[in-house]
Amino acid sequence: MYRKFFQLDDYPFRLTADSRYFFMGESHARAIAYLNYLLHTGDGIGVMTGEAGVGKSVVLEQVLAECKADVVVARVRQSQLTSNEFFLVLCRQFDLQPQDYHKATLIDTFYRFVQQQHFTGQKVLLVVDEAHLLQHQVLEEIRMLASLEKFGRKLINVILTGAPELEQLVNSQRKDALSQQVRLSCRLQPLNQKELDHYLEYRMWIAGGEHTVLFPEDTLPLIMHYTGGIPRLINVLCDMVLVAAFMRNSRYIDTDCIRAAVKKLEWQAYEKRLNLSVGQPHSAQLARRSVPRIVVMRKQRLVAEYRLEKDRVLIGRHSKQDIMLCGAWTSRYHAQIIHLNGNYYLQDLNSKNGTYIGQERVGWYPLVDGDRFEIAGFVLEYRMPRVTRKVEQLVEELVI
């Protein structure tokens, strides 16, 4: 849309975790050093926490990309699992074929695999995303795996990532067995204003716009004001800023462009979105454990259910998508569901065969409970949990 106007080689503020655009703030560099040290020593559990959008996935991708050939990785992205399901996921990650799906069989199959890797000189790394949502029993299973040893060497390295709540589960002040297994813990911090300046400059340089697009110094405090230094929010806002400048036919970015973008996004100041007024509950916090679901159906048969636990859920044919739809007419990157200010929006990613609500092809659509949309023969239904509905009613009554 604005790429040719600003003479860019690429869109600089995509939300995808593209390694070319990886920028290390101070806390990101520290986290990478910690995790690399953990993998080098092969001892204990590593924990990385941070607010949504601060860059945990990008840091992990960077660390995993630097892993040597003697490291085999299992990455568990779905945290709402029972113990049985957890071990089944591990077996499938390594293409293991257990005789049956009983827990004892799954554990035995996986343990034999780990031993075999150890004797052939391979290291096994287990990475768990959104670990703060894991059931207590699954955390206990992870502790047991992390404690497996052979000839004085750990058989499995573990990295847990999640929201800051994870720190309460593995706090060094606690005396439980899991916390004692934690070797290193780090929290990713938002960018400060100086880092924000370098971040914007770096992304524009990668996109080929270092000489055509500049964010003046007086715009930086305003960007910080609305994003809190969270990289994902910075990307969303700055992408809209470039759209606003393009619509004004201006190559100059100023505070008016920032305010126009904020108005279009309907954002409040970052602190206002986080903080609560005294005595007034925040709907997102009250319903924290009660998130919407997407139910996938095909030919009137249930295929799968997914909880919308992330602010951005990708849908498509690619195996790394959050909701993978295996179909010839599905694009690799077909659509996404975005969580903004407590609401969920469906966005088509310029797919070849489109995303439909009824007979209408949509590009951007605000989702409400019960909405159904169709992608290449799959019907996906958006469902809000009853608890969320009750919370929203409670908040409305309190506000009134």
Side-chain angles (χ1 to χ4, degrees):
M1 183 176 181
Y2 55 71
R3 198 177 75 179
K4 290 184 179 179
F5 180 78
F6 287 110
Q7 301 175 15
L8 300 173
D9 300 326
D10 191 16
Y11 290 100
F13 298 109
R14 295 180 185 271
L15 293 179
T16 50
D18 190 333
S19 60
R20 295 177 302 155
Y21 288 94
F22 178 63
F23 174 85
M24 283 197 297
E26 183 179 343
S27 66
H28 297 78
R30 188 184 306 115
I32 289 176
Y34 282 168
L35 295 180
N36 282 333
Y37 175 74
L38 176 76
L39 296 181
H40 177 72
T41 59
D43 187 19
I45 298 174
V47 176
M48 178 175 63
T49 62
E51 298 290 348
V54 80
K56 298 187 293 295
S57 296
V58 181
V59 167
L60 263 182
E61 294 292 344
Q62 193 74 11
V63 171
L64 296 180
E66 295 175 0
C67 284
K68 296 181 180 179
D70 63 347
V71 179
V72 292
V73 182
R75 188 167 181 182
V76 180
R77 301 174 184 270
Q78 171 57 269
S79 55
Q80 295 296 307
L81 300 170
T82 64
S83 295
N84 253 46
E85 292 169 338
F86 175 73
F87 281 108
L88 180 58
V89 167
L90 292 185
C91 289
R92 288 185 173 177
Q93 288 272 321
F94 294 115
D95 294 323
L96 306 180
Q97 301 296 327
Q99 293 181 349
D100 55 60
Y101 293 159
H102 294 300
K103 182 177 177 180
T105 306
L106 295 172
I107 293 176
D108 182 66
T109 302
F110 183 66
Y111 181 65
R112 288 175 182 272
F113 167 78
V114 170
Q115 281 190 311
Q116 180 185 13
Q117 297 301 307
H118 176 74
F119 288 126
T120 57
Q122 296 288 103
K123 299 177 182 178
V124 178
L125 172 62
L126 170 60
V127 179
V128 183
D129 294 329
E130 305 298 327
H132 61 286
L133 297 175
L134 289 172
Q135 297 180 14
H136 174 76
Q137 184 59 39
V138 176
L139 281 171
E140 183 62 19
E141 302 290 2
I142 291 174
R143 181 194 68 80
M144 295 293 291
L145 291 176
S147 64
L148 294 176
E149 297 181 9
K150 204 77 173 180
F151 307 121
R153 305 289 288 183
K154 294 287 186 182
L155 297 184
I156 301 177
N157 293 328
V158 178
I159 296 176
L160 303 178
T161 74
E165 291 87 340
L166 178 59
E167 298 168 3
Q168 303 302 316
L169 300 176
V170 290
N171 193 315
S172 59
Q173 302 299 318
R174 293 165 60 107
K175 305 300 181 183
D176 60 282
L178 175 63
S179 297
Q180 292 175 12
Q181 289 273 4
V182 175
R183 173 92 178 203
L184 293 169
S185 180
C186 56
R187 181 192 283 204
L188 294 185
Q189 300 293 340
L191 303 179
N192 57 41
Q193 187 166 311
K194 182 179 180 181
E195 290 174 330
L196 170 64
D197 189 17
H198 294 321
Y199 178 83
L200 296 175
E201 183 179 348
Y202 178 74
R203 292 191 76 99
M204 295 310 306
W205 174 67
I206 294 296
E210 70 272 25
H211 299 303
T212 59
V213 182
L214 296 175
F215 286 81
E217 189 173 348
D218 63 335
T219 64
L220 301 181
L222 203 55
I223 295 174
M224 287 293 295
H225 181 67
Y226 286 102
T227 66
I230 302 294
R232 183 185 297 160
L233 297 181
I234 294 170
N235 289 352
V236 173
L237 177 58
C238 290
D239 182 70
M240 189 60 69
V241 167
L242 294 182
V243 172
F246 168 73
M247 297 299 290
R248 296 180 176 200
N249 198 32
S250 171
R251 296 181 185 274
Y252 181 72
I253 305 299
D254 57 14
T255 55
D256 288 340
C257 291
I258 308 294
R259 292 190 177 91
V262 168
K263 183 177 180 180
K264 182 64 177 177
L265 292 169
E266 299 181 350
W267 280 8
Q268 291 183 315
Y270 181 73
E271 292 299 328
K272 283 188 177 180
R273 300 206 299 272
L274 284 182
N275 295 335
L276 297 176
S277 300
V278 177
Q280 180 179 343
H282 191 286
S283 60
Q285 291 187 340
L286 287 174
R288 184 166 202 155
R289 297 183 180 274
S290 193
V291 297
R293 292 176 297 148
I294 290 293
V295 178
V296 181
M297 293 167 284
R298 191 170 194 180
K299 297 180 180 179
Q300 299 183 341
R301 291 186 178 180
L302 177 66
V303 176
E305 290 189 14
Y306 299 88
R307 288 166 57 89
L308 301 181
E309 296 172 335
K310 301 197 299 185
D311 288 334
R312 181 171 181 262
V313 175
L314 289 168
I315 305 171
R317 193 179 71 246
H318 195 282
S319 61
K320 292 187 177 181
Q321 304 294 43
D322 301 297
I323 299 179
M324 186 175 70
L325 303 179
C326 298
W329 302 104
T330 310
S331 298
R332 287 164 60 86
Y333 298 89
H334 199 107
Q336 63 183 358
I337 296 173
I338 299 176
H339 181 213
L340 288 174
N341 300 328
N343 298 313
Y344 288 83
Y345 300 87
L346 171 66
Q347 181 183 19
D348 185 87
L349 298 177
N350 297 319
S351 62
K352 182 177 180 180
N353 295 302
T355 302
Y356 291 84
I357 300 284
Q359 300 298 317
E360 180 183 357
R361 184 167 181 166
V362 297
W364 179 272
Y365 187 85
L367 292 169
V368 297
D369 185 38
D371 274 341
R372 287 190 172 194
F373 56 97
E374 184 172 346
I375 294 177
F378 291 90
V379 176
L380 294 85
E381 182 173 337
Y382 173 79
R383 294 181 182 176
M384 286 179 60
R386 294 179 180 178
V387 175
T388 303
R389 299 173 197 164
K390 291 179 179 178
V391 167
E392 290 182 344
Q393 292 172 0
L394 173 61
V395 172
E396 289 177 1
E397 292 173 1
L398 288 172
V399 171
I400 293 173

